[in-house]
Amino acid sequence: MALAPRLWRLLPLRRGTRGSHEHRGTRPFRGCEVIGNSRTIKRGLLFSALSYLSFETYQAICQAAVVHAIDKVEEVLEQADYLYESGETEKLYQLLIQYKESEDAELLWRLARASRGIAQLSTTSEEEKKVLVYEALEYAKRALEKNESSFAVHKWYAICISDVGDYEGIEVKIANAYIIKEHFEKAIELNPKDATSIHLMGIWCYTFAEMPWYQRRIAKLLFANPPMDPNFYSKNLLLLGKTYLKLNNKKLAAFWLIKAKDHPAHTEEDKQIQTEAAHLLTGL
């Protein structure tokens, strides 16, 4: 750097007579002072440059860490889906339970599903099953808080609420029915092609269709308008038929669609269901 020569030109040099430096309050500038100042400036510039480079490095490291974290989550999700499809319930749970404190909705709803899977194993005791069922609901609830736009989150949240109902008594179970229906419907809205959600919605309708009279009275007491449409039974038949169509089981699809077509129509929607069922049957 040619910093020192430039500073020499900028600084006003004081010229005095011989011995003028002895006068009070005056003394000549010495070159060492300018060199010392230039060194200080150089150190300041170097420190600033290093600080800037350190900040840039910090940003680069943070960005790399985020990318790595995303890649890690994607890798875990792939492993989890493979284990689920392979029926490796225990391995799946052991993989995902490591991420129980995660804030990622995709990990959380899969952990809810895995916890429920362990609860359903024949080797799981009743006490362990109850704990796992409530844990599954908590994971699903957290997943819903993180992402309300995921059909899978709504689906598994509804399933987990239904499971908890087995331990909460008939009144709570019926009271939760409306919430369950709402989330199944949301799951279908977000992904109309998901056969599981459609099937579960059909089961929900069928369950209410077969509800004993005393449970119906409880439902009427809990709700001014119970969560049952007048045409819920014919809708259930249609949904079951459409579910089996999605599963490519034409025999069972035809069975339920015929029932939907032949079911007595009491409302305008019933008539629409009959028409849709008949249309679907022509394609079989």
Side-chain angles (χ1 to χ4, degrees):
M1 292 178 65
L3 183 59
R6 287 199 296 271
L7 286 170
W8 273 109
R9 287 195 294 271
L10 292 172
L11 290 171
L13 297 181
R14 297 183 181 178
R15 299 182 183 274
T17 60
R18 189 190 311 179
S20 62
H21 60 280
E22 297 177 356
H23 294 293
R24 186 178 298 176
T26 62
R27 65 184 181 88
F29 281 88
R30 295 189 177 95
C32 61
E33 293 181 5
V34 176
I35 293 172
N37 289 336
S38 69
R39 287 175 179 169
T40 301
I41 294 172
K42 286 180 181 179
R43 284 197 297 269
L45 292 173
L46 180 60
F47 178 77
S48 297
L50 290 174
S51 298
Y52 176 76
L53 289 173
S54 298
F55 177 71
E56 290 292 306
T57 303
Y58 172 76
Q59 281 191 320
I61 292 172
C62 289
Q63 291 173 357
V66 170
V67 171
H68 177 72
I70 293 173
D71 290 343
K72 178 65 175 177
V73 169
E74 292 298 327
E75 181 181 335
V76 173
L77 294 179
E78 287 182 9
Q79 293 177 10
D81 290 342
Y82 173 78
L83 291 172
Y84 179 74
E85 295 296 332
S86 303
E88 298 284 356
T89 307
E90 293 179 348
K91 290 182 180 179
L92 174 63
Y93 180 76
Q94 291 303 322
L95 169 68
L96 292 175
I97 195 63
Q98 302 175 68
Y99 304 95
K100 64 180 181 179
E101 302 301 329
S102 172
E103 300 296 316
D104 191 290
E106 292 298 308
L107 283 171
L108 290 170
W109 75 253
R110 283 174 171 83
L111 179 54
R113 181 179 66 181
S115 300
R116 185 176 185 271
I118 293 292
Q120 292 182 324
L121 293 177
S122 59
T123 54
T124 304
S125 68
E126 285 301 316
E127 289 183 2
E128 291 173 326
K129 180 178 179 180
K130 183 177 180 179
V131 171
L132 286 163
V133 164
Y134 278 93
E135 285 183 355
L137 177 59
E138 183 60 28
Y139 298 138
K141 182 179 179 181
R142 284 171 52 201
L144 186 63
E145 291 171 353
K146 298 301 176 184
N147 186 3
E148 295 185 354
S149 300
S150 169
F151 83 94
V153 168
H154 285 278
K155 176 171 67 177
W156 285 99
Y157 181 63
I159 291 171
C160 291
I161 291 178
S162 179
D163 289 341
V164 167
D166 294 336
Y167 299 97
E168 297 288 342
I170 190 63
E171 288 190 14
V172 174
K173 191 168 186 176
I174 294 175
N176 285 340
Y178 186 81
I179 300 173
I180 293 169
K181 177 177 179 284
E182 181 181 85
H183 286 282
F184 279 147
E185 288 177 336
K186 187 63 177 180
I188 294 170
E189 177 188 329
L190 291 168
N191 186 2
K193 295 183 179 181
D194 184 54
T196 305
S197 296
I198 297 172
H199 179 65
L200 291 171
M201 187 70 249
I203 291 175
W204 186 95
C205 294
Y206 182 79
T207 300
F208 268 90
E210 298 298 312
M211 183 183 290
W213 65 269
Y214 66 91
Q215 292 186 11
R216 290 178 182 274
R217 293 192 66 178
I218 294 174
K220 287 181 179 180
L221 290 173
L222 292 174
F223 302 100
N225 296 306
M228 294 176 283
D229 298 327
N231 60 329
F232 66 92
Y233 189 70
S234 60
K235 182 188 294 184
N236 171 58
L237 298 173
L238 177 66
L239 287 171
L240 287 171
K242 292 172 74 172
T243 299
Y244 284 112
L245 273 179
K246 293 285 185 182
L247 297 173
N248 203 31
N249 189 329
K250 294 184 178 180
K251 184 177 180 179
L252 283 175
F255 175 80
W256 291 109
L257 289 174
I258 290 171
K259 282 186 171 293
K261 180 178 70 70
D262 295 340
H263 187 75
H266 300 290
T267 66
E268 183 61 33
E269 191 171 1
D270 278 335
K271 294 176 183 178
Q272 293 174 2
I273 288 170
Q274 286 182 335
T275 302
E276 185 177 354
H279 175 72
L280 291 171
L281 284 167
T282 58
L284 293 177

